[in-house]
Amino acid sequence: MRWFARRLAFYVFAIWVALTINFLLPRLMPGSPLGGLLQHLTPSQLSANPGIVQTYEALLGGGHHSIWQDYVTYLHRIAHFDFGISTSNYPTPVSEVVGRTLPYSMFLVGVAFLLAFLVGTGIGMVAAWRRGGAVDSVFVPVFMVLSAFPAFFTALLGLYLFGLKLHWFPIQHAYDNGVIPGFNWAFLSSALRHSELPILVVVCAYAGGWVLNMRTVMITTIGEDYVTMAHAKGLRDRRVMTRYAGRNAILPPLNGFAALFASAVGGLVFVEFIFSYPGAGYTLQQAVLGNDYALAQAILVVLSVCVILANLIMDVLNLVLDPRLRTG
Amino acid sequence: MTALAEEPAVRRTSRKALLELRQLAVEYGSGARGVRAVDGVDLEIREGEVVGLAGESGCGKTTVANAVLQILRPPARIVGGSVLYQGEDLVGKKPEELRRFRWRNVSMVFQSAMNALNPVMRVGDQFVDAMRAHERIDRRRALARAGELLELVGIDRRRVRAYPHELSGGMRQRVIIAMALSLNPDLVILDEPTTALDVVVQREILQQVEALRRDFGFAVLFITHDLSLLLEFADRIAIMYAGELVETAPAERLGTNPRHPYTQRLLQSFPPLSGPLERLSGIPGSPPDLSDPPSGCRFHPRCPHCGPERPELYGRQTTERPVLREVEPGHRVACHLVEEEEEVA
Amino acid sequence: MSQLDPTIDLPLAAPPRRVRGRIRVPGWVALLLRNRKSRAGLCMVLFMVLVALVAPLISVAHPNDFNLLAARQAPSWHHLFGTTDQGSDIFSQVVLGARRSLLLGAAAGILATGVAAILGITAAYSGGLVDEGVNFLTNVFLTIPPIPLLVVASGYLKSRGMVTMAVVLALVLWAFEARILRGQALSLKSRDFILAAKASGESTPRIVFGELMPNMISRIAAAFVLVFYIALLTDAGLEFLGLGDMTKTSWGVTLYWAQTNSTVLQGEWWPFFFPGAALAFTVLGLVLLLAGIDEVSNPRLRTERPERRRLLAALVGGRLVARAEASA
């Protein structure tokens, strides 16, 4: 349990660091932060959004105080989920824009990453168990090649082949035109249909990491005495593979979960951009290109918090799966 | 428990062969890069008998054990000979038949107590797994039997709920011994069961095994590098060097009249557990590289009796492989020198 | 178990042999060349480097020359990789783009490796608070999703020149590597030659730079390969999102224009396929190189695979396999 308390403390600290980096980013750039931001804007953008200067000032803490005062104000506002006004959706508050886009992303990345994990570790486990067998000789190289593909390349290929040429999946947006988002079957089924190809792409792009990782650890685990002993006990092959070798081999890859999930959240940005999928990643890219810094910063904070929450879930899972952590 | 402890006395006196290895050969890898870890081993274990197998580490002892249970993993494989269990050859049997044979007929106590138990599974469940792989028994009854087995080796039955890391090294080894007995096998292989433990615990455990053996009547193949332990516990001892057997004899004969120079050296390198202290000496040189074993007698580069002073003997020692020959009833040696001495006598 | 393990203990950690002030080709380089995977990977990467070097000679046109009469042409003998919607020659863009993409990836990789090696190894050697601190910082960086962070950070950048981008990439990516190198330095730190140096009173910097680092060259090189391809992917990804220097020629920029002008949706596959494939090819080469390094340093991963050979033989016919075997 002390282990878990330490992890929790770490996550609180990590969130604080993420917030601080977020706060410092515009201020670390040379020149006055406000001037730097305004410089990216065209005169027409300025005249179209009269509130934009105030929004930037609010984002930067007002500009009239010391950096410490700004910092305190900033943390105070974040604690109240006040991220300011989105300039590209003027005058909608940033929190509302984030609230609208986040569910799509959470669904997409959550389902896709879970699938990638299950498929990847499963294939890695079987490949190591039957070295040189069909799974090892076919799936492992395929996933190795796929994982070397940039996520956006995989996405573009998928879009072109399965969406455009074969018409297996809808190719753009999160739901059909004319469907109104809400908790009804028409919307949910349409949304599900539209999420299939993006999910498939993320699985293809990220399962490879799990395959290789799991295979490597599994090969080492197979040499452990408890696997030999399970075999000697006359257990069925499948049971030795899953309950003895696989069950132990899965623990080290789980520790690499943090980095892989963080990078999958990055891949989300590309996939959403390519499929014009209105999630947090696409919104982030549009916000940065449209100089909507308040929105961009808020999304970065929210995504970081999501990654940290996912890590927390993984830690609980780790605690469930490894009895040595519970007593230690 | 009464069902498990059946008529031990009858089985001990029986002289029927339980397990016979005939010209067993195991290779790691294949072709030019192949390493023959076990080369032409003949060994017999009778019902209820304790047979010791001794040799330096890397001489192929554990490989023999794994070959008996047919749990060699690639790149290791049996390339020749047979493993006869109650007259039936295990080599070439179907995987499912082998699976049923393992643990039910021959079980094994593994070398390192630290690693032989699945760290993420409760001890009791590991018993249950072994039992349910071989017989129809519900989980509750299997757990109850696991508790009885634990008490048999002096561990509180409530420990079935413990995870391996919650037990000490000695306790883990006892758990494995209890597990090895869970299906009442005819033969238990002990593969360096006590190396990782301190001397006091070591003796305690061995005495416990001896007591259990008297009750249950199983035969034991005791593999160790510690010849002094074997002199105390084994009925018969086989000495292995570089993948070959060099000498087999009843324990008391081997202790008093070792014939192979390697056995003699091995005996001198351990302090006896009882009796007067003698000067210890090691064996000069190191075990040969099995991917390129020495020609002739594999021990000849380290043998004190091998030198060019006696050209004819030297020639045989360096070119001709010695074979096991009986020098007295039940005592067999593979050595050119001993052969010559016997001929003279 | 005292089972025979027919594996070779590689002299990865052996002190480099100096011959009259000159370091000989270390043994692990020769080993790498003997491994099939790393040899193939090295060839692929070197091929791309060669293309980048001779790019001005083989490109047929200035990459940004446009000719609306020749726009949107599919690959032909005249335009090997087709043309963009502006009529620019994609082949020229890909071969010339290789220069900027590779250079930026390598620069970021070298910078990140430098930071990671110094921080990771010093932390591992010093232990105590220094180690705790660095480890903490590394973990924090691993939980902040790198792509979103980079997207937001590059939004604030006034210039997105080569040096700036390389520095920003390195600052975000060093953590992956620091974690790996720290782990490896930890296992090396208790070796005799380090203990001896410590006992003879050498200073920490001297041990870190004079003893540990030279003995970790092979591992540092492997870590560099890893971060090189991550940097390559990340940089191309940022450019693909429109967050690089859009006036220059690189793979990511070509991909960005392909996406922005929706050429994929109009059924044109060549504007995204060729730059994407060039990137994937390079990354695959680096991944193979890395897999080879893994196999060389962890012999358990490469054992005899008779089954795989048989399968291969069934798939491609005997002759090819016989040749592969002869060369292996």
Side-chain angles (χ1 to χ4, degrees):
Chain A
M1 277 305 121
R2 262 199 26 228
W3 173 82
F4 194 63
R6 273 182 53 185
R7 296 296 291 173
L8 266 180
F10 167 75
Y11 291 134
V12 172
F13 185 80
I15 289 178
W16 174 73
V17 172
L19 289 175
T20 307
I21 288 178
N22 210 348
F23 172 78
L24 288 175
L25 265 178
R27 290 169 178 79
L28 282 177
M29 302 300 161
S32 111
L34 187 61
L37 296 192
L38 292 177
Q39 190 192 323
H40 284 290
L41 296 176
T42 58
S44 61
Q45 269 179 305
L46 271 173
S47 54
N49 296 323
I52 211 162
V53 178
Q54 284 93 310
T55 309
Y56 281 172
E57 276 180 354
L59 167 73
L60 296 171
H64 311 299
H65 312 285
S66 74
I67 193 163
W68 288 112
Q69 278 172 305
D70 284 357
Y71 185 53
V72 172
T73 321
Y74 164 80
L75 287 182
H76 183 80
R77 284 177 44 218
I78 299 278
H80 294 84
F81 296 103
D82 174 11
F83 294 100
I85 305 288
S86 163
T87 51
S88 55
N89 300 279
Y90 195 79
T92 320
V94 163
S95 48
E96 202 182 310
V97 181
V98 173
R100 202 164 59 212
T101 58
L102 200 60
Y104 291 108
S105 294
M106 298 235 305
F107 172 72
L108 198 66
V109 81
V111 172
F113 201 68
L114 205 65
L115 275 178
F117 169 74
L118 292 176
V119 170
T121 46
I123 290 178
M125 178 175 77
V126 177
W129 191 251
R130 300 230 179 282
R131 287 290 290 284
V135 173
D136 199 22
S137 329
V138 178
F139 284 97
V140 171
V142 165
F143 272 103
M144 190 162 156
V145 170
L146 272 178
S147 69
F149 279 15
F152 49 88
F153 186 52
T154 314
L156 285 166
L157 279 178
L159 173 69
Y160 182 79
L161 286 177
F162 300 125
L164 225 60
K165 288 289 146 187
L166 297 169
H167 300 289
W168 287 356
F169 304 100
I171 50 176
Q172 295 279 287
H173 309 299
Y175 46 87
D176 289 321
N177 287 333
V179 178
I180 296 145
F183 199 74
N184 56 63
W185 195 78
F187 168 71
L188 290 180
S189 66
S190 172
L192 199 66
R193 254 326 257 150
H194 280 262
S195 68
E196 284 167 4
L197 189 53
I199 286 175
L200 182 70
V201 164
V202 176
V203 170
C204 284
Y206 289 94
W210 292 111
V211 172
L212 297 182
N213 215 337
M214 182 69 180
R215 181 174 173 273
T216 307
V217 178
M218 183 83 176
I219 285 170
T220 319
T221 310
I222 286 173
E224 295 284 348
D225 279 1
Y226 53 78
V227 177
T228 314
M229 174 150 162
H231 198 46
K233 282 201 292 192
L235 301 189
R236 280 167 223 283
D237 210 46
R238 176 182 290 249
R239 194 167 176 83
V240 181
M241 174 177 81
T242 53
R243 297 296 297 276
Y244 286 75
R247 182 69 177 64
N248 280 285
I250 206 157
L251 297 174
L254 272 188
N255 290 324
F257 179 89
L260 256 175
F261 188 73
S263 94
V265 165
L268 189 72
V269 180
F270 302 121
V271 173
E272 290 186 357
F273 174 47
I274 288 163
F275 291 99
S276 305
Y277 196 83
Y282 184 42
T283 311
L284 174 69
Q285 187 252 357
Q286 293 295 314
V288 171
L289 282 186
N291 299 307
D292 189 349
Y293 296 100
L295 182 55
Q297 284 209 333
I299 292 179
L300 177 59
V301 167
V302 168
L303 288 182
S304 304
V305 171
C306 284
V307 170
I308 285 165
L309 284 179
N311 273 293
L312 196 66
I313 296 173
M314 262 309 131
D315 282 342
V316 174
L317 190 64
N318 229 329
L319 218 52
V320 172
L321 289 179
D322 193 346
R324 285 162 294 188
L325 292 175
R326 286 197 291 261
T327 39
Chain B
M1 214 68 284
T2 42
L4 289 179
E6 57 176 71
E7 295 306 307
V10 186
R11 284 162 60 170
R12 271 198 79 194
T13 48
S14 142
R15 308 284 294 169
K16 222 175 104 197
L18 184 65
L19 182 86
E20 287 168 274
L21 305 184
R22 286 200 192 141
Q23 285 300 306
L24 180 71
V26 179
E27 236 174 58
Y28 284 78
S30 59
R33 302 220 313 272
V35 170
R36 202 164 260 228
V38 174
D39 201 356
V41 165
D42 282 309
L43 190 66
E44 190 187 81
I45 299 170
R46 296 183 205 111
E47 288 182 350
E49 187 185 32
V50 180
V51 174
L53 183 61
E56 288 160 297
S57 43
C59 72
K61 296 171 306 216
T62 299
T63 308
V64 169
N66 288 350
V68 170
L69 270 173
Q70 302 279 308
I71 51 171
L72 291 168
R73 239 196 249 105
R77 63 191 205 292
I78 294 177
V79 289
S82 47
V83 179
L84 300 178
Y85 180 79
Q86 291 181 332
E88 264 188 83
D89 195 352
L90 298 175
V91 180
K93 275 212 183 225
K94 289 198 194 84
E96 180 58 20
E97 284 177 288
L98 285 173
R99 186 188 75 70
R100 286 176 201 280
F101 155 81
R102 294 183 191 121
W103 222 254
R104 159 107 279 169
N105 298 304
V106 177
S107 66
M108 183 158 163
V109 173
F110 280 75
Q111 202 167 62
S112 59
M114 297 302 161
N115 299 325
L117 291 173
N118 186 349
V120 297
M121 212 172 184
R122 287 182 204 278
V123 164
D125 288 329
Q126 303 191 40
F127 275 91
V128 174
D129 253 6
M131 293 175 199
R132 294 185 62 168
H134 297 279
E135 51 195 71
R136 289 180 173 278
I137 178 169
D138 67 64
R139 207 181 111 84
R140 277 212 7 241
R141 279 192 40 223
L143 270 180
R145 208 160 99 195
E148 286 168 26
L149 285 160
L150 281 186
E151 291 204 323
L152 212 58
V153 294
I155 295 176
D156 189 334
R157 58 163 59 226
R158 280 170 302 182
R159 290 294 195 147
V160 289
R161 294 198 44 81
Y163 283 101
H165 71 274
E166 294 164 342
L167 305 173
S168 71
M171 279 167 95
R172 271 183 250 187
Q173 195 65 70
R174 272 186 253 256
V175 166
I176 296 174
I177 289 168
M179 214 176 277
L181 302 183
S182 56
L183 296 167
N184 195 19
D186 301 313
L187 171 65
V188 177
I189 300 174
L190 305 175
D191 185 8
E192 307 248 13
T194 54
T195 1
L197 306 172
D198 62 70
V199 184
V200 180
V201 181
Q202 215 175 72
R203 294 194 55 79
E204 260 176 42
I205 287 184
L206 286 180
Q207 276 155 4
Q208 206 158 38
V209 170
E210 181 56 28
L212 287 167
R213 194 187 65 82
R214 258 181 257 122
D215 291 346
F216 286 77
F218 51 82
V220 170
L221 174 59
F222 188 170
I223 295 172
T224 179
H225 61 266
D226 191 343
L227 196 48
S228 58
L229 280 179
L230 290 185
L231 291 176
E232 223 185 332
F233 289 100
D235 298 329
R236 221 146 43 77
I237 299 175
I239 308 289
M240 207 168 166
Y241 183 78
E244 298 176 333
L245 285 191
V246 294
E247 184 164 9
T248 64
E252 66 277 11
R253 290 306 297 157
L254 195 95
T256 50
N257 185 25
R259 298 298 299 273
H260 198 282
Y262 178 64
T263 314
Q264 291 164 356
R265 290 278 159 155
L266 211 55
L267 277 168
Q268 283 159 10
S269 61
F270 284 102
L273 283 174
S274 52
L277 272 179
E278 282 169 50
R279 228 182 101 82
L280 297 178
S281 64
I283 306 174
S286 52
D289 173 10
L290 286 181
S291 61
D292 182 23
S295 58
C297 170
R298 290 185 174 179
F299 187 59
H300 87 254
R302 296 169 79 188
C303 184
H305 308 293
C306 176
E309 319 68 68
R310 298 174 59 187
E312 200 232 338
L313 178 66
Y314 185 68
R316 288 180 62 202
Q317 281 169 329
T318 51
T319 55
E320 196 184 309
R321 259 178 82 173
V323 287
L324 281 172
R325 276 174 218 275
E326 195 152 73
V327 289
E328 57 183 319
H331 189 168
R332 302 198 299 162
V333 186
C335 176
H336 293 298
L337 182 73
V338 173
E339 221 169 279
E340 209 178 66
E341 284 168 2
E342 291 292 316
E343 270 163 28
V344 172
Chain C
M1 292 207 282
S2 66
Q3 253 181 18
L4 269 177
D5 202 359
T7 52
I8 320 154
D9 198 11
L10 289 165
L12 274 179
R17 277 155 277 158
R18 278 165 204 276
V19 184
R20 279 193 205 137
R22 184 176 60 149
I23 298 176
R24 268 185 15 196
V25 174
W28 55 272
V29 173
L31 271 172
L32 275 189
L33 290 177
R34 244 178 285 144
N35 182 287
R36 233 172 348 143
K37 279 185 190 164
S38 55
R39 201 171 49 216
L42 208 59
C43 287
M44 288 162 77
V45 177
L46 286 180
F47 171 75
M48 264 303 161
V49 172
L50 190 73
V51 166
L53 284 176
V54 303
L57 301 175
I58 56 175
S59 66
V60 290
H62 189 275
N64 293 336
D65 274 354
F66 60 91
N67 174 8
L68 294 178
L69 292 176
R72 299 173 181 280
Q73 286 189 359
S76 65
W77 278 116
H78 196 61
H79 294 287
L80 220 47
F81 290 177
T83 61
T84 67
D85 62 326
Q86 301 291 314
S88 305
D89 180 56
I90 293 175
F91 178 75
S92 306
Q93 287 191 348
V94 169
V95 293
L96 278 166
R99 303 187 131 199
R100 191 177 157 86
S101 293
L102 290 178
L103 211 59
L104 222 162
I110 288 169
L111 278 176
T113 306
V115 175
I118 293 172
L119 276 181
I121 298 173
T122 311
Y125 177 71
S126 311
L129 267 183
V130 180
D131 189 31
E132 292 265 323
V134 171
N135 197 21
F136 210 84
L137 196 66
T138 316
N139 285 332
V140 168
F141 264 86
L142 285 176
T143 49
I144 300 177
I147 299 277
L149 178 61
L150 280 166
V151 166
V152 173
S154 57
Y156 290 119
L157 291 177
K158 285 201 186 109
S159 87
R160 288 167 187 160
M162 190 98 145
V163 179
T164 321
M165 289 308 284
V167 170
V168 171
L169 281 172
L171 281 179
V172 175
L173 298 179
W174 66 272
F176 284 97
E177 233 185 326
R179 185 152 106 154
I180 298 170
L181 290 177
R182 173 178 167 271
Q184 289 167 341
L186 272 181
S187 68
L188 207 64
K189 137 186 193 191
S190 50
R191 294 281 185 87
D192 288 342
F193 68 99
I194 299 296
L195 294 178
K198 202 173 176 180
S200 68
E202 287 196 44
S203 67
T204 301
R206 247 196 93 85
I207 294 178
V208 168
F209 290 101
E211 303 282 350
L212 273 171
M213 272 205 197
N215 285 299
M216 286 182 66
I217 285 291
S218 60
R219 290 131 201 253
I220 294 175
F224 166 73
V225 173
L226 175 71
V227 89
F228 180 21
Y229 88 70
I230 293 176
L232 205 62
L233 281 174
T234 313
D235 171 55
L238 283 178
E239 287 169 350
F240 172 66
L241 294 174
L243 294 165
D245 188 344
M246 294 296 124
T247 60
K248 296 288 195 307
T249 304
S250 74
W251 294 335
V253 171
T254 306
L255 281 162
Y256 170 73
W257 291 117
Q259 170 70 15
T260 320
N261 297 326
S262 305
T263 50
V264 190
L265 297 179
Q266 289 157 31
E268 293 164 23
W269 54 272
W270 54 94
F272 83 83
F273 180 79
F274 291 108
L279 184 60
F281 181 81
T282 316
V283 171
L284 187 61
L286 291 166
V287 168
L288 279 174
L289 182 58
L290 209 58
I293 295 176
D294 267 355
E295 283 187 4
V296 168
S297 51
N298 182 1
R300 236 198 262 247
L301 296 179
R302 49 150 186 167
T303 39
E304 306 265 309
R305 295 170 197 179
E307 275 183 75
R308 169 175 290 187
R309 294 230 173 93
R310 249 189 289 127
L311 207 94
L312 254 180
L315 287 175
V316 295
R319 211 184 326 148
L320 218 90
V321 179
R323 218 173 49 211
E325 238 165 315
S327 67

Short mmCIF file of all heavy atoms in Angstrom, two decimals, chain A residues 206-226:
data_model
loop_
_atom_site.label_atom_id
_atom_site.label_comp_id
_atom_site.label_asym_id
_atom_site.label_seq_id
_atom_site.Cartn_x
_atom_site.Cartn_y
_atom_site.Cartn_z
N TYR A 206 -0.20 0.62 -32.92
CA TYR A 206 0.37 0.49 -31.59
C TYR A 206 0.44 -0.93 -31.05
O TYR A 206 1.08 -1.17 -30.03
CB TYR A 206 -0.37 1.40 -30.61
CG TYR A 206 -0.02 2.84 -30.90
CD1 TYR A 206 -0.82 3.62 -31.72
CD2 TYR A 206 1.17 3.39 -30.42
CE1 TYR A 206 -0.47 4.92 -32.03
CE2 TYR A 206 1.52 4.69 -30.73
CZ TYR A 206 0.70 5.44 -31.54
OH TYR A 206 1.07 6.72 -31.86
N ALA A 207 -0.21 -1.90 -31.72
CA ALA A 207 -0.13 -3.27 -31.21
C ALA A 207 1.29 -3.81 -31.35
O ALA A 207 1.74 -4.60 -30.53
CB ALA A 207 -1.11 -4.17 -31.95
N GLY A 208 2.00 -3.36 -32.38
CA GLY A 208 3.34 -3.88 -32.64
C GLY A 208 4.27 -3.73 -31.46
O GLY A 208 5.04 -4.62 -31.14
N GLY A 209 4.18 -2.59 -30.78
CA GLY A 209 5.02 -2.35 -29.61
C GLY A 209 4.78 -3.42 -28.55
O GLY A 209 5.72 -3.99 -27.99
N TRP A 210 3.51 -3.72 -28.31
CA TRP A 210 3.18 -4.76 -27.32
C TRP A 210 3.66 -6.11 -27.78
O TRP A 210 4.14 -6.91 -26.99
CB TRP A 210 1.67 -4.80 -27.08
CG TRP A 210 1.11 -3.60 -26.40
CD1 TRP A 210 0.28 -2.66 -26.93
CD2 TRP A 210 1.32 -3.19 -25.04
NE1 TRP A 210 -0.02 -1.71 -26.01
CE2 TRP A 210 0.59 -2.00 -24.83
CE3 TRP A 210 2.07 -3.73 -23.99
CZ2 TRP A 210 0.59 -1.33 -23.61
CZ3 TRP A 210 2.05 -3.06 -22.78
CH2 TRP A 210 1.32 -1.88 -22.59
N VAL A 211 3.49 -6.41 -29.08
CA VAL A 211 3.90 -7.72 -29.60
C VAL A 211 5.38 -7.95 -29.31
O VAL A 211 5.76 -8.96 -28.71
CB VAL A 211 3.65 -7.83 -31.12
CG1 VAL A 211 4.27 -9.10 -31.68
CG2 VAL A 211 2.17 -7.79 -31.44
N LEU A 212 6.22 -6.99 -29.73
CA LEU A 212 7.66 -7.18 -29.58
C LEU A 212 8.07 -7.24 -28.12
O LEU A 212 8.86 -8.08 -27.70
CB LEU A 212 8.41 -6.06 -30.30
CG LEU A 212 8.20 -6.02 -31.81
CD1 LEU A 212 9.02 -4.91 -32.42
CD2 LEU A 212 8.56 -7.35 -32.44
N ASN A 213 7.47 -6.34 -27.33
CA ASN A 213 7.80 -6.28 -25.91
C ASN A 213 7.42 -7.58 -25.21
O ASN A 213 8.21 -8.18 -24.49
CB ASN A 213 6.99 -5.12 -25.32
CG ASN A 213 7.75 -4.41 -24.25
OD1 ASN A 213 8.64 -5.00 -23.66
ND2 ASN A 213 7.40 -3.18 -24.00
N MET A 214 6.20 -8.02 -25.44
CA MET A 214 5.70 -9.22 -24.79
C MET A 214 6.50 -10.44 -25.23
O MET A 214 6.85 -11.29 -24.42
CB MET A 214 4.22 -9.41 -25.13
CG MET A 214 3.57 -10.60 -24.48
SD MET A 214 3.41 -10.36 -22.70
CE MET A 214 2.64 -11.90 -22.23
N ARG A 215 6.82 -10.48 -26.52
CA ARG A 215 7.55 -11.64 -27.04
C ARG A 215 8.92 -11.74 -26.36
O ARG A 215 9.33 -12.80 -25.91
CB ARG A 215 7.71 -11.50 -28.55
CG ARG A 215 8.43 -12.65 -29.19
CD ARG A 215 8.43 -12.52 -30.71
NE ARG A 215 9.25 -13.53 -31.31
CZ ARG A 215 10.56 -13.42 -31.52
NH1 ARG A 215 11.17 -12.32 -31.15
NH2 ARG A 215 11.25 -14.38 -32.06
N THR A 216 9.62 -10.59 -26.27
CA THR A 216 10.94 -10.60 -25.66
C THR A 216 10.88 -11.06 -24.20
O THR A 216 11.65 -11.93 -23.78
CB THR A 216 11.54 -9.19 -25.71
OG1 THR A 216 11.48 -8.73 -27.06
CG2 THR A 216 12.97 -9.18 -25.24
N VAL A 217 9.95 -10.48 -23.43
CA VAL A 217 9.87 -10.85 -22.01
C VAL A 217 9.46 -12.30 -21.87
O VAL A 217 9.97 -13.05 -21.04
CB VAL A 217 8.87 -9.94 -21.27
CG1 VAL A 217 8.76 -10.34 -19.83
CG2 VAL A 217 9.29 -8.50 -21.38
N MET A 218 8.53 -12.72 -22.72
CA MET A 218 8.00 -14.08 -22.65
C MET A 218 9.12 -15.10 -22.91
O MET A 218 9.16 -16.15 -22.27
CB MET A 218 6.88 -14.23 -23.68
CG MET A 218 6.19 -15.56 -23.67
SD MET A 218 4.91 -15.66 -22.41
CE MET A 218 4.25 -17.28 -22.79
N ILE A 219 9.99 -14.78 -23.85
CA ILE A 219 11.09 -15.70 -24.17
C ILE A 219 11.97 -15.90 -22.94
O ILE A 219 12.39 -17.02 -22.63
CB ILE A 219 11.89 -15.17 -25.36
CG1 ILE A 219 11.10 -15.39 -26.65
CG2 ILE A 219 13.24 -15.88 -25.47
CD1 ILE A 219 11.68 -14.71 -27.85
N THR A 220 12.21 -14.82 -22.21
CA THR A 220 12.99 -14.94 -20.97
C THR A 220 12.21 -15.73 -19.93
O THR A 220 12.77 -16.58 -19.24
CB THR A 220 13.31 -13.55 -20.42
OG1 THR A 220 13.66 -12.71 -21.52
CG2 THR A 220 14.47 -13.60 -19.45
N THR A 221 10.92 -15.44 -19.82
CA THR A 221 10.10 -16.08 -18.80
C THR A 221 10.00 -17.59 -19.01
O THR A 221 9.98 -18.36 -18.05
CB THR A 221 8.68 -15.48 -18.79
OG1 THR A 221 8.80 -14.06 -18.76
CG2 THR A 221 7.89 -15.94 -17.60
N ILE A 222 9.96 -18.00 -20.28
CA ILE A 222 9.83 -19.43 -20.57
C ILE A 222 11.00 -20.21 -19.98
O ILE A 222 10.87 -21.36 -19.61
CB ILE A 222 9.72 -19.64 -22.10
CG1 ILE A 222 8.33 -19.21 -22.56
CG2 ILE A 222 9.96 -21.08 -22.49
CD1 ILE A 222 8.17 -19.21 -24.05
N GLY A 223 12.15 -19.55 -19.84
CA GLY A 223 13.31 -20.21 -19.26
C GLY A 223 13.26 -20.31 -17.74
O GLY A 223 14.13 -20.92 -17.13
N GLU A 224 12.26 -19.70 -17.11
CA GLU A 224 12.18 -19.72 -15.65
C GLU A 224 11.83 -21.11 -15.15
O GLU A 224 11.11 -21.86 -15.79
CB GLU A 224 11.11 -18.74 -15.16
CG GLU A 224 11.41 -17.28 -15.45
CD GLU A 224 12.45 -16.70 -14.52
OE1 GLU A 224 12.77 -17.37 -13.50
OE2 GLU A 224 12.95 -15.60 -14.79
N ASP A 225 12.31 -21.41 -13.93
CA ASP A 225 12.06 -22.72 -13.35
C ASP A 225 10.59 -23.00 -13.13
O ASP A 225 10.14 -24.14 -13.25
CB ASP A 225 12.81 -22.85 -12.02
CG ASP A 225 14.26 -23.21 -12.24
OD1 ASP A 225 14.65 -23.34 -13.42
OD2 ASP A 225 14.99 -23.39 -11.26
N TYR A 226 9.81 -21.97 -12.78
CA TYR A 226 8.41 -22.27 -12.49
C TYR A 226 7.64 -22.69 -13.73
O TYR A 226 6.64 -23.38 -13.64
CB TYR A 226 7.70 -21.12 -11.76
CG TYR A 226 7.80 -19.76 -12.39
CD1 TYR A 226 7.00 -19.42 -13.48
CD2 TYR A 226 8.67 -18.81 -11.90
CE1 TYR A 226 7.07 -18.16 -14.04
CE2 TYR A 226 8.76 -17.55 -12.46
CZ TYR A 226 7.96 -17.23 -13.53
OH TYR A 226 8.05 -16.00 -14.10
#
